[in-house]
């Protein structure tokens, strides 16, 4: 939508937008990815080693096999567990009243940057402040820091023009 020389977007983020941004951040930020990978493989490996020790040292096949099965289940189900844990954490933040990012957003943008209005607050961010632009099928993430950024759904009117502007101005800076 055009407002004078500026282009404008109006949208309200959904909880799913916030969850997907958080999960994407967990995959892209190296320190978060290392912690997630360690949790995934270390815990499963401990279960497997414990199962083998029980089987070999104490000759308890049923307990050993149980721990080996638990290890396999951990390896397979960890991604679902991680997503569920992330959702519960974000739901707690919302419940505590800190989830104001799900309010209605209005973005006015031009060649100098983006003017954001949300929940009665207003701010201007220059294009040069963005560290990264991530375009997915459903959303656009404009990263200000590795774990902070602006989320814009792609299913709103004017989102394709916004993506083009982001690609133009963020890659120039």
């Amino acid at each position: 939508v055009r407002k004078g020389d500026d282009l404008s977007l109006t949208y309200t983020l959904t909880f799913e937008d916030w969850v997907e941004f958080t999960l994407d951040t967990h995959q892209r930020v190296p320190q978060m990815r290392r912690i997630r990978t360690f949790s995934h493989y270390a815990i499963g490996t401990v279960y497997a080693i414990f199962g083998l020790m029980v089987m070999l040292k104490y000759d308890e096949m049923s307990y050993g096999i149980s721990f080996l099965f638990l290890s396999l289940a951990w390896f397979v189900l960890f991604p679902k567990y991680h997503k569920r844990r992330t959702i519960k954490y974000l739901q707690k933040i919302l419940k505590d009243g800190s989830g104001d990012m799900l309010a209605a957003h209005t973005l006015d943008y031009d060649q100098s940057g983006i003017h954001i209005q949300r929940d009665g607050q207003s701010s201007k961010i220059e294009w040069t402040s963005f560290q990264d632009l991530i375009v997915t099928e459903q959303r656009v993430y404009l990263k200000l820091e590795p774990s902070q950024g602006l989320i814009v759904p792609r299913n709103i009117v004017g989102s394709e023009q916004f993506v083009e502007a982001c690609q133009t101005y963020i890659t120039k800076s």
Side-chain angles (χ1 to χ4, degrees):
V1 179
R2 194 172 279 284
K3 266 173 62 176
D5 288 339
D6 293 354
L7 292 168
S8 181
L9 296 174
T10 301
Y11 61 93
T12 301
L13 287 179
T14 64
F15 184 72
E16 182 184 345
D17 292 329
W18 193 23
V19 168
E20 292 303 320
F21 173 80
T22 304
L23 292 172
D24 184 83
T25 298
H26 288 176
Q27 290 179 342
R28 292 183 193 272
V29 175
Q31 182 180 5
M32 292 178 161
R33 186 175 54 241
R34 275 192 301 273
I35 291 169
R36 184 173 167 259
T37 301
F38 178 78
S39 296
H40 187 180
Y41 294 107
I43 293 172
T45 302
V46 167
Y47 286 143
I49 291 171
F50 188 73
L52 289 173
M53 284 178 34
V54 167
M55 284 172 43
L56 297 174
K57 187 170 184 177
Y58 300 107
D59 201 27
E60 291 286 339
M61 291 298 282
S62 61
Y63 288 125
I65 290 172
S66 296
F67 276 100
L68 289 174
F69 180 74
L70 184 59
S71 170
L72 179 64
W74 182 260
F75 286 132
V76 171
L77 298 175
F78 179 81
K80 288 184 180 193
Y81 166 77
H82 175 71
K83 183 174 183 175
R84 181 178 161 94
R85 198 171 115 210
T86 300
I87 289 170
K88 285 190 170 269
Y89 173 74
L90 295 177
Q91 286 172 333
K92 183 179 182 300
I93 290 174
L94 276 179
K95 189 176 172 184
D96 292 344
S98 302
D100 64 340
M101 71 180 312
L102 300 184
H105 289 65
T106 301
L107 303 182
D108 298 319
Y109 60 97
D110 59 20
Q111 59 191 8
S112 65
I114 301 174
H115 183 256
I116 305 164
Q117 295 176 335
R118 177 185 79 198
D119 201 28
Q121 298 178 359
S122 177
S123 61
K124 173 90 175 184
I125 303 174
E126 295 179 5
W127 292 112
T128 56
S129 299
F130 293 107
Q131 293 180 358
D132 197 7
L133 168 68
I134 300 164
V135 180
T136 69
E137 189 175 318
Q138 302 293 322
R139 293 162 197 88
V140 178
Y141 306 133
L142 292 98
K143 297 287 193 146
L144 292 163
E145 294 179 14
S147 62
Q148 292 182 341
L150 187 61
I151 308 166
V152 181
R154 293 195 64 189
N155 63 350
I156 58 175
V157 175
S159 67
E160 291 310 312
Q161 289 174 307
F162 180 72
V163 169
E164 290 172 15
C166 290
Q167 290 170 334
T168 301
Y169 296 121
I170 290 177
T171 54
K172 277 186 181 178
S173 51

